Amino acid sequence: MSALLEVDQLAVQLPIGQRLRPVLHDVSFTLARGEVLAVVGESGSGKSMTARAIVRLLPPGAASSGRVTFDGTDVGSATRAQLRELRARRVGMIFQDPRAAINPIHRIGDFLTEALVRDRRMRKAEAHERAVAVLGEVGIDDPGRRLRQHPHELSGGMLQRVMIASVLLAEPDLILADEPTTALDVTTQAEVVAVLGDLRRERAMAMVFITHDLELAAAISDRVAVMYAGYLVETLPAAQALERPIHPYTEALLRSRPELSRRMAAIPQIPGRPLAAHEATGGCPFQPRCSYAIERCAAERPEPVRLGGESVMCHRAQERRAAGSAPVGEGTLVR
Ligand code: SF4
């Protein structure tokens, strides 16, 4: 079966100071229909830039290379009309801060029904009926009243549910969810993730879910992609992400999370600081922080290696796979 989304050697540069600097290096992955890929990494690792590049929503002055193909269409050479269709109908976007994405002077009802009336030529009454039904599905009570309210009258959690409702109304093939729960409290986060996961699954929509939380990534996805300094350093099945990741950075991320089931004197930290994508020149971008580094790592950038269903950008990937990389909770990785 052909992939819904193919990202091949995608690279992006942004104007920073007087120069164009890389923010994304040769990112490649595919996504099947109905599949969920979670993209994990620290701030500045290139997660959001990857999502924006998929729909050509890059900042002014950005330069990009590589190829993004959505359902057979080359997004890079798409016309303005094709791009509009792509963003309005085929790919739905959910952002971190719903208040920034919803016009504060319009009622919730106008926000939800505008595209149905304008693009789908739906009658207003029918669009209103659909909006009421979908608001109910995302768990908003008294949806008829909510449609008459303005964004400032709703909590952050309710507004994010409204964003999810707007995406479901468009019935896209792909959802790009960029840290959709980061601005919410923990209880609301769990509720919003559950609603998004259930309704997406019912409609067999594919999703790219961006988060900095590896545990959440593994829980919501089929596969996890780990980014570091603008590189995609590991892609692996979600079930394996919390068990035996191969890339030392993924393993270090796992070790540095707090766990109720483990007694810890202190939460281990990854030494050093994350590199910006433009600082990652020469060898492996994780080399300055990696306890497994060998001489070759500083001199030569590793190419991604395919190991069964995984892709790992590490010189020692084969060796670590053969040794059954240390299960989390054993051994010492972090210096
Ligand atoms: Fe560590 Fe070397 Fe692998 Fe980079 S290539 S992650 S430095 S072992």
Side-chain angles (χ1 to χ4, degrees):
M1 188 173 68
S2 66
L4 175 67
L5 175 69
E6 291 176 72
V7 176
D8 185 24
Q9 298 282 300
L10 177 66
V12 175
Q13 296 178 306
L14 292 185
I16 300 172
Q18 301 296 313
R19 307 169 46 188
L20 277 176
R21 292 183 185 271
V23 290
L24 212 58
H25 299 277
D26 300 335
V27 168
S28 299
F29 63 88
T30 60
L31 190 70
R33 287 179 192 279
E35 189 185 16
V36 179
L37 178 74
V39 183
V40 186
E42 292 160 295
S43 297
S45 59
K47 310 184 296 294
S48 298
M49 198 55 68
T50 302
R52 288 177 161 274
I54 288 171
V55 283
R56 258 175 68 190
L57 269 181
L58 293 173
S64 66
S65 60
R67 192 178 171 94
V68 175
T69 309
F70 180 81
D71 203 11
T73 300
D74 178 2
V75 176
S77 60
T79 61
R80 288 172 80 122
Q82 284 175 315
L83 272 182
R84 207 166 34 242
E85 161 80 6
L86 184 79
R87 294 170 188 160
R89 302 278 296 262
R90 308 294 309 279
V91 181
M93 284 171 275
I94 303 172
F95 300 102
Q96 183 174 333
D97 181 5
R99 289 191 197 282
I102 301 176
N103 190 328
I105 63 171
H106 287 170
R107 293 177 196 277
I108 299 298
D110 296 333
F111 170 69
L112 288 176
T113 59
E114 193 181 27
L116 296 178
V117 173
R118 187 192 57 219
D119 300 332
R120 302 219 171 179
R121 307 263 182 260
M122 205 178 271
R123 285 180 300 106
K124 273 193 170 174
E126 190 187 349
H128 184 273
E129 215 171 282
R130 290 280 302 278
V132 167
V134 174
L135 277 188
E137 281 189 80
V138 299
I140 290 189
D141 60 352
D142 200 358
R145 181 167 70 91
R146 300 299 182 193
L147 288 179
R148 294 190 296 275
Q149 291 185 308
H150 287 86
H152 72 269
E153 297 175 84
L154 273 61
S155 68
M158 281 174 107
L159 270 189
Q160 200 56 296
R161 288 172 194 256
V162 169
M163 280 301 301
I164 294 170
S166 75
V167 165
L168 297 177
L169 282 168
E171 298 174 2
D173 298 295
L174 170 65
I175 300 173
L176 299 177
D178 189 356
E179 305 219 32
T181 59
T182 303
L184 308 177
D185 65 74
V186 177
T187 310
T188 312
Q189 275 184 15
E191 291 169 1
V192 167
V193 166
V195 164
L196 179 59
D198 289 348
L199 297 178
R200 179 213 66 77
R201 201 172 307 112
E202 280 171 19
R203 290 160 170 81
M205 294 169 180
M207 178 161 71
V208 174
F209 187 91
I210 293 172
T211 175
H212 57 267
D213 182 337
L214 188 52
E215 220 152 343
L216 173 59
I220 200 170
S221 70
D222 300 300
R223 282 185 302 144
V224 173
V226 182
M227 296 198 70
Y228 185 79
Y231 288 94
L232 206 171
V233 296
E234 181 164 22
T235 310
L236 72 172
Q240 201 177 321
L242 299 182
E243 299 285 328
R244 287 178 183 270
I246 292 177
H247 198 283
Y249 175 60
T250 316
E251 192 179 291
L253 277 182
L254 269 184
R255 287 187 194 284
S256 54
R257 75 198 159 131
E259 268 190 78
L260 287 175
S261 59
R262 271 199 292 159
R263 288 179 71 90
M264 300 169 121
I267 296 172
Q269 294 183 352
I270 307 174
R273 66 168 179 86
L275 292 188
H278 67 83
E279 295 175 305
T281 55
C284 169
F286 192 53
Q287 181 272 334
R289 310 173 78 187
C290 181
S291 293
Y292 293 100
I294 51 179
E295 208 171 309
R296 182 183 177 198
C297 301
E300 190 187 325
R301 177 170 306 129
E303 290 296 325
V305 181
R306 280 227 150 268
L307 297 167
E310 296 171 50
S311 167
V312 189
M313 183 183 150
C314 174
H315 289 308
R316 304 187 70 180
Q318 309 262 20
E319 189 189 332
R320 284 176 54 72
R321 162 80 175 246
S325 53
V328 173
E330 295 174 21
T332 304
L333 169 70
V334 183
R335 283 184 287 218

